[in-house]
Amino acid sequence: MSKKNRPRSGSLGYKPKVRAERMYPEIDNYEDTDEQKPLGYAGYKVGMSRVMMVDDTEGATQGQEVAEAVTILEAPPLRVYGARFYVEDPNSGKQVFTEAWTESPAKELQRATDIPKDGNMENLEKAKEHSDRIVDVRLLVHTQPSRAGISKKKPENFELGIGGDVESQLEYAEEMIGKEIEFSDVFEEGDFSDAIAVTKGKGVEGPVQRYGIKKLGHKTQKKRRKAGNVGPWHPDTLSWKIPLPGQQGFNNRTEYNKRILQHGDDPEEVQREGGFKNYGEVKSNYIIVKGSVPGPSKRLVRLRTAMRKDGKPGNPEVTYVEK
């Protein structure tokens, strides 16, 4: 009989397993592109569904109608309330140089951050004067949950990367401050995106559940759901590779190349009778993503333009959305 082989349980690529700092993630890296546009978007996870679509990938079912599991996101437009400018420090790396804020911030934004009601647009001119030192420009945006189907008032605010060189980034930031970003400004149907979110939290778990180690025999020591040997007496130090109890879930995770199948502004196209479980009814723009994305219902999922994309497969043809 052949020996069974499987990868090690509990990938070391996710060490250390720690709780995320907040309910929605920060993104440090963006695609290196010359296209002048925002490099990400965000939406609230509604739930999963199923669609019928024409298979446009190479394989036995190419050209045939197939069923695919999908995730539905509700994504009202993002509102730009400012811009952040970075300079390069030779000792400590990229550092914030200054920020510029809109002169007319949304009232709901005050629930999430404290910025002057009359803005600070003079800092934009300061950034232009020192454009030779600026190495990166990021938009400051916030969500608009009051326009979505969730009972939430406090918006999420975060940075959003911009494509192009510094001069075009400054120009685009000045143009967009105080305006809204639509989904079509970033993605098209058929594009690949990276889904980044905080996974479902499961609290403290033991090593059997957390890493998938085998339970000890019934005659072994006093406990069965523990690591059999965690290390020598001398030196009495535990290796970081030892499977130990600890936090399970509520981690920042990225899933690459999630294909966007459809988006629209008519919620009735995806609406389920009685609403979606643990979410409710969709009331604004929606996005249909092929497969699953991290996180439970109502959690914010950030979509970034794909970092590892290999061309665009084409426009998908969705024929039916299950309701």
Side-chain angles (χ1 to χ4, degrees):
M1 183 180 293
S2 61
K3 184 180 178 181
K4 293 183 178 179
N5 293 312
R6 63 176 177 81
R8 180 190 186 280
S9 295
S11 171
L12 295 179
Y14 296 122
K15 281 286 205 169
K17 289 190 173 183
V18 296
R19 286 177 57 88
E21 293 182 356
R22 60 181 187 178
M23 282 287 190
Y24 55 99
E26 282 287 349
I27 301 178
D28 295 328
N29 300 315
Y30 288 93
E31 177 190 11
D32 187 11
T33 177
D34 293 330
E35 189 174 359
Q36 193 183 50
K37 68 173 186 178
L39 300 180
Y41 203 72
Y44 296 100
K45 183 174 179 179
V46 176
M48 294 200 69
S49 186
R50 182 170 56 179
V51 301
M52 300 295 293
M53 62 176 294
V54 178
D55 188 1
D56 57 355
T57 60
E58 294 184 4
T61 59
Q62 186 174 9
Q64 301 179 22
E65 196 174 39
V66 295
E68 295 286 356
V70 298
T71 300
I72 298 176
L73 306 177
E74 186 173 13
L78 299 177
R79 183 175 175 84
V80 182
Y81 71 89
R84 184 172 290 159
F85 310 97
Y86 287 91
V87 295
E88 188 71 29
D89 186 279
N91 298 317
S92 53
K94 191 182 292 185
Q95 299 293 318
V96 176
F97 175 66
T98 188
E99 294 182 9
W101 305 314
T102 179
E103 297 173 348
S104 55
K107 185 178 180 180
E108 59 185 353
L109 179 61
Q110 299 297 329
R111 296 178 179 270
T113 185
D114 186 18
I115 65 172
K117 293 184 178 180
D118 53 355
N120 194 7
M121 290 298 291
E122 58 267 18
N123 282 352
L124 181 63
E125 299 301 323
K126 178 181 176 181
K128 287 182 179 180
E129 294 174 3
H130 297 85
S131 59
D132 55 328
R133 296 176 54 198
I134 303 294
V135 296
D136 194 13
V137 180
R138 302 276 179 91
L139 294 178
L140 298 175
V141 304
H142 68 87
T143 59
Q144 302 186 78
S146 59
R147 298 171 60 174
I150 58 176
S151 56
K152 182 177 181 179
K153 297 180 180 180
K154 182 178 178 180
E156 294 88 354
N157 61 310
F158 47 86
E159 288 183 352
L160 208 57
I162 311 174
D165 57 19
V166 173
E167 293 298 329
S168 60
Q169 288 177 344
L170 286 167
E171 179 183 339
Y172 187 79
E174 183 179 15
E175 176 187 346
M176 291 302 298
I177 291 179
K179 298 182 180 179
E180 292 184 344
I181 298 175
E182 299 285 348
F183 180 80
S184 56
D185 297 334
V186 186
F187 293 105
E188 296 178 355
E189 292 182 353
D191 284 348
F192 285 111
S193 66
D194 298 336
I196 307 170
V198 177
T199 60
K200 182 184 294 186
K202 302 180 189 231
V204 177
E205 294 283 2
V208 172
Q209 175 73 15
R210 199 171 181 226
Y211 291 99
I213 65 175
K214 185 178 179 180
K215 288 198 297 184
L216 300 177
H218 71 283
K219 290 185 178 181
T220 305
Q221 300 183 13
K222 296 181 180 179
K223 298 180 181 179
R224 299 184 63 191
R225 302 179 67 90
K226 65 187 282 287
N229 184 3
V230 298
W233 282 10
H234 303 289
D236 56 349
T237 304
L238 291 181
S239 169
W240 61 273
K241 298 182 181 181
I242 298 298
L244 297 173
Q247 172 68 31
Q248 176 77 345
F250 204 74
N251 310 119
N252 288 321
R253 292 293 180 261
T254 301
E255 292 189 10
Y256 293 95
N257 289 340
K258 312 299 288 190
R259 192 180 181 194
I260 296 169
L261 300 182
Q262 184 176 314
H263 71 91
D265 54 8
D266 183 7
E268 293 302 321
E269 296 177 357
V270 297
Q271 196 71 269
R272 186 171 292 175
E273 185 177 355
F276 286 83
K277 183 179 179 181
N278 298 328
Y279 187 86
E281 294 185 349
V282 180
K283 295 183 179 179
S284 63
N285 303 350
Y286 69 88
I287 308 169
I288 298 180
V289 181
K290 184 178 178 181
S292 62
V293 299
S297 298
K298 296 186 179 181
R299 190 154 293 175
L300 188 75
V301 177
R302 296 189 61 181
L303 299 177
R304 177 183 63 186
T305 55
M307 298 277 286
R308 304 177 181 178
K309 62 183 177 183
D310 186 17
K312 181 179 177 180
N315 294 323
E317 184 180 348
V318 177
T319 59
Y320 172 76
V321 179
E322 186 178 63
K323 297 182 180 180

